């Protein structure tokens, strides 16, 4: 990892990363694009991921390798978006939640705080997964 000049951000990996809007203690792996998003301290963005403009990734959260967090989305503090997952534009993943690897959270959806969306699941656009819920791996919720 290579420390970005004048900050506590880390960027690295082959091909580098494009970072904007990060606060201290953020790690962004190589090949990722983070433009116009807010990354809180202690958050990690995995290799090859994209975090869209106007999005917020909360403190201590992890966006796994190859994932996409759409524009205007919120990933709450202490949450995990698994590798290869998609969080659609304008969606909210509540604090302490887990979106399993390869899952899709459709645009405008809400995954409540402390919830788990199992690997390979689909939460349809505009759907709501209540706080503390568990969506089994490979499940489909909503449209």
């Amino acid at each position: 990892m290579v420390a970005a000049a004048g900050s506590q951000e880390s960027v690295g990996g082959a091909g580098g990363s494009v970072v904007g809007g990060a606060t201290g203690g953020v790690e962004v792996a190589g090949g990722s694009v983070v433009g116009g998003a807010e990354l809180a301290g202690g958050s990690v963005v995995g290799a090859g991921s994209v975090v869209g403009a106007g999005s917020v990734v909360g403190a201590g959260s992890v966006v796994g390798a190859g994932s996409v967090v759409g524009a205007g989305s919120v990933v709450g503090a202490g949450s995990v978006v698994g590798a290869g997952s998609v969080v659609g534009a304008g969606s909210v993943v509540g604090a302490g939640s887990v979106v399993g690897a390869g899952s899709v959270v459709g645009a405008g959806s809400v995954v409540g705080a402390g919830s788990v969306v199992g690997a390979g699941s689909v939460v349809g656009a505009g759907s709501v997964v209540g706080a503390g819920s568990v969506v089994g791996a490979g499940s489909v919720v909503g449209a």
Side-chain angles (χ1 to χ4, degrees), residues 9 29 35 60 70 80 86 89 92 98-99 105 122 130-131 134 140 142:
E9 301 165 28
V80 175
V86 175
V92 175
V98 175
V99 175
V105 176
V122 175
V134 176
V140 177

Side-chain angles (χ1 to χ4, degrees), residues 10 14 22 38 48 80 91 127 137 139:
S10 295
E38 178 184 335
V80 175
S91 294
S127 297
S139 297

